[in-house]
Amino acid sequence: MAEHYFIDGYNVLHRSTSLKQRADEDLESAREALVDRVAQYCASSGARATIVFDGQGPRQERVSNVRGAAGLDLIYAAATKSADAIIERAIYQLPHRREAIVVSGDRGITDLCIGLGALAMTPDAFLRTITDETLRIRAKVERDRPDTQIARVEDGLDASARERLETLRRRLEREDR
């Protein structure tokens, strides 16, 4: 089984060195950047991730799958719930807790989930992990990519065939006039 990351979304945004400034300036943009980065990581690694955002909006908890991002779920907590409570409940209900990794800078939730058998990562360690994976995949794609150059059909022809085609082209141009 692949690991399953449970990410405290706003905690990561406000505690990571790479996203904190962006979150302070434009929270929506920072949230989208986090979701995009995690979606790419899930797609390339086969890992699962659940990003939980603290309740601030509607009274009902909302779960959504990110289109085109297999393995990534977003949970928008109800206004009365915290991301910590949702993550704790999710870890408690897992049959294979050793495959769960909680991503948060909050010692309370990480210690509690470690006590339940999960692993924990800081926001910066997690973001470095997904950046390293993205770079590794890009390097592999570049390394495995065949040397592709745009080839013209005439480049594969011998000199006499090219000359016959050139003669035909000139004759067709004269007829078009």
Side-chain angles (χ1 to χ4, degrees):
M1 274 234 118
E3 63 268 358
H4 188 149
Y5 293 88
F6 291 87
I7 303 160
D8 184 342
Y10 289 127
N11 184 279
V12 170
L13 292 178
H14 292 294
R15 297 243 181 135
S16 70
T17 54
S18 65
L19 290 173
K20 182 179 179 3
Q21 182 176 355
R22 188 171 186 176
D24 290 344
E25 294 169 3
D26 183 358
L27 188 60
E28 179 68 26
S29 170
R31 188 171 48 224
E32 288 176 14
L34 175 63
V35 171
D36 287 346
R37 289 174 72 179
V38 174
Q40 289 176 12
Y41 177 68
C42 290
S44 66
S45 70
R48 290 195 36 77
T50 301
I51 304 175
V52 184
F53 292 103
D54 288 309
Q56 295 178 351
R59 296 249 179 248
Q60 287 187 315
E61 187 172 300
R62 199 175 80 221
V63 178
S64 67
N65 297 79
V66 179
R67 257 183 242 180
L72 176 59
D73 294 317
L74 301 179
I75 298 177
Y76 297 93
T80 57
K81 283 190 178 175
S82 69
D84 291 359
I86 291 172
I87 291 170
E88 175 188 345
R89 180 184 48 177
I91 299 299
Y92 180 77
Q93 292 174 346
L94 282 177
H96 305 285
R97 294 180 189 153
R98 291 188 184 275
E99 295 167 359
I101 302 169
V102 175
V103 179
S104 178
D106 182 338
R107 288 285 309 254
I109 187 64
T110 56
D111 287 350
L112 186 131
C113 291
I114 288 170
L116 291 171
L119 299 172
M121 290 179 89
T122 65
D124 283 333
F126 174 69
L127 292 172
R128 270 193 311 275
T129 297
I130 65 176
T131 298
D132 291 349
E133 176 68 10
T134 301
L135 293 174
R136 186 187 69 75
I137 294 294
R138 282 188 185 150
K140 183 179 181 340
V141 167
E142 285 296 319
R143 190 176 55 248
D144 294 347
R145 182 187 330 192
D147 187 21
T148 55
Q149 294 180 353
I150 298 176
R152 300 179 312 177
V153 172
E154 58 264 28
D155 292 342
L157 300 175
D158 63 29
S160 67
R162 277 196 307 265
E163 181 57 39
R164 287 192 311 263
L165 282 174
E166 183 60 29
T167 303
L168 177 61
R169 183 185 65 78
R170 279 185 252 142
R171 191 179 87 216
L172 290 172
E173 283 179 352
R174 281 192 303 263
E175 289 175 5
D176 282 342
R177 291 182 198 167

